Amino acid sequence: MQECRRGRKTSIMSTRRDKFAVRGCTADHTVLHKLPASGDVRVQWVHFMYEADVPDKVSKRVFVCSHHFASDCFVNLGQYNSGLSRRLKLKRGSVPTLRGETAVEQTQSQPPTRETLSQPRSIQKATCEVGCQTDRIPGKRSVATQLSKLTLTNYRSAGCQANVATRSIAVGNIITPSPSLSSTSVKRKAVSDVPDDRPAKHPLLELPSFPESVTTTILVDPDDPTQLPSMSELEKTASEQAPTKPPQDMVKYLVYEDCLLELFKSCPICSSVCTVQSYTKGTFISVTQKCLYPTCLYTRQWKSQPLLGSTPAGNLHLSAAVVYTGSSFVQTKRVLNSMHLRTFSRKMHQNHVDNYILPSVLHRWRSHQTSLLQELKQGPTVTLGGDIRANIPGRCSKYGSYSMMDLNSNKVVDIQLVQSNEVGSSVHMEKEGLIRSLELLERSGVNVTSLVTDRRTWVEQLIQEQKPDIDHFYDVWRLCKAISKKVDAISKEKDCHMVKSWQKSIENHLYWSASSSSSEEETVAKWTSLLNHMQNVHIHKNPLFPKCLHPPSTHKRKWLKPATKPTYKLKKVLMNKHVLSCVKRLSPLYQTPVLKGFRSMIPRFAPKSVAFSYLEMLCRLYLAALHFNENSILTQANTAAGEDMVQDKDKKKDHASTEYVAELMNLLFNEVIHNPVPFVAELKEVAFPGLLCSQFVQSETTEAVAGHVSTFGCSDDDLTPT
């Protein structure tokens, strides 16, 4: 094997002798590349270096010079040739492919370096270096760059110097500007004693290729009116670059004021100083730029947001995002103010809410509710669950929201908001909400077969009198919760601590009795067998359930003894007439824990600590229902083994779907903002009660009335005579 000559690895400044094992290499070893440690690339390198005579063991200190690699194998070839980098870097996976004379020829065809760029002035493009002189050579005169004051003012940029290229014709050793640029040509002194071998100026650096996003700036002479674009051309260019996306789909960024106004300091045509005037309205800013140069007078007006009539799109978008996601404008504005972000007042936000946002929410909910009712009309049986949630902004219940849910699909089909002064007191709000909801379903043609509610005597009486065709059931969870509290209280009494061990069994037996029975009598029979079972008696007198279904127990449990205090206490709680009457009405198939989950989600959109108006409270309840219905069909995530994946509640909230927000945004920006009249008219058709203090009459002689009204937090302007 013929090895390359030995030398030192100059790229890493090593004092150690290295091997250059490439057959037939005669090039100068300037940049060396070490053999890869392992892998297929190392095998290809070894076969290239040794050809057919591959040794059994290859030294670790074997290098290959850069002349054996193609030009596309390097990452920084342009920077290395321009002198910006001291060593060449190979791309990952590069393999040497050139050898012998081909490598030398390929080296000569590489991009020119600093030395190759030093060519006679007669064949180079003439450049005028603005703001500096050429380097002076000892004993020889330098060529001074003579520029007019006006030219320097127009072309000089702040903080930097640039080479301004001019088209020129080489005549001997003197560069003459082109006739087409005679009006703006740069005047230069022709010095006769300047030799032909005068030093060249610093050449333009050839940098590696960049993405297509890099823009090129073309400088135009401001004194030549033929080179200035007309205003019609500028308007045409601006119209061609107009955004095609709707405002709600555009991407937004945080921009600092100083960075934004920096773009308008100089004229884009002549680079002269401009006057800048800005106008702000909430999150909107408009900048007017005027050029001060006499022959240019370029002017333009830039807007940070598209205008929807006279309303900036960003202001309306922020207000809509706050309401649609159930956030608070006060807290949002507090965050924005802490960052010194421009925003609008609460009055403007309320104007957006009343005129645009609430009408869009009401329209979206009614279209969604119509589709749900159409599905219920087509079903053979409809089982609904109803429950009320009281909103308490102070010490009294101002609102009561009655929710009706389809227990087959777990979707909210109706929400009725009742104000306490409509029904006399907050006690009757639940009954009024149930009546309104059933009337709406009846008008829509929905045939309700069964209804599951909590244990309210008046609800059962109402169903029996007005809706006898509906089967009324009690929710098991409600009764189970009431019994569990009493059992827990018994376990804390003296000599009754063993009752605590039976508390979970009592809850499970109640659910099993309701779900496994086919009639009310069978449910009661299974429930009454529980007391015998706790005394280790598994044969019962009731023929509907004669004995326990479990196998004989071998565990040593703490069985209750007859005629003892724990047994007496439990019998008094579990077997009284009221509990047995409730056990008969327990729902055998459907329960309402999902409805309870919806109630717990409402505070995210309508917190109890905030007092909303009737219409805003109603629309926020509709938003909560839209959010819940969209995520009610989400399935449980499973692991790779097929088991249910346990997730934190916060992570589940983060993965919730919010497509309804995008639909509301499209409705707002595509329809409501352009013609809000029909949407506002639909909102005005909603019958809402007056203020809670509207029944009080303002009187100058009655101090008690004024004191009573002040407890509601109302001012004199809020009082209206009845």
Side-chain angles (χ1 to χ4, degrees), residues 397 418-430 432:
S397 298
V418 183
Q419 192 167 290
S420 60
N421 62 344
E422 294 184 76
V423 292
S425 65
S426 58
V427 179
H428 306 287
M429 291 191 301
E430 184 175 4
E432 181 66 20

Side-chain angles (χ1 to χ4, degrees), residues 385-416:
D387 195 11
I388 192 172
R389 172 186 178 269
N391 184 275
I392 308 176
R395 293 185 177 181
C396 62
S397 298
K398 181 179 181 180
Y399 297 123
S401 57
Y402 196 87
S403 306
M404 194 72 76
M405 176 180 289
D406 178 25
L407 300 181
N408 291 295
S409 60
N410 292 334
K411 291 186 177 181
V412 180
V413 297
D414 185 43
I415 296 178
Q416 295 293 333

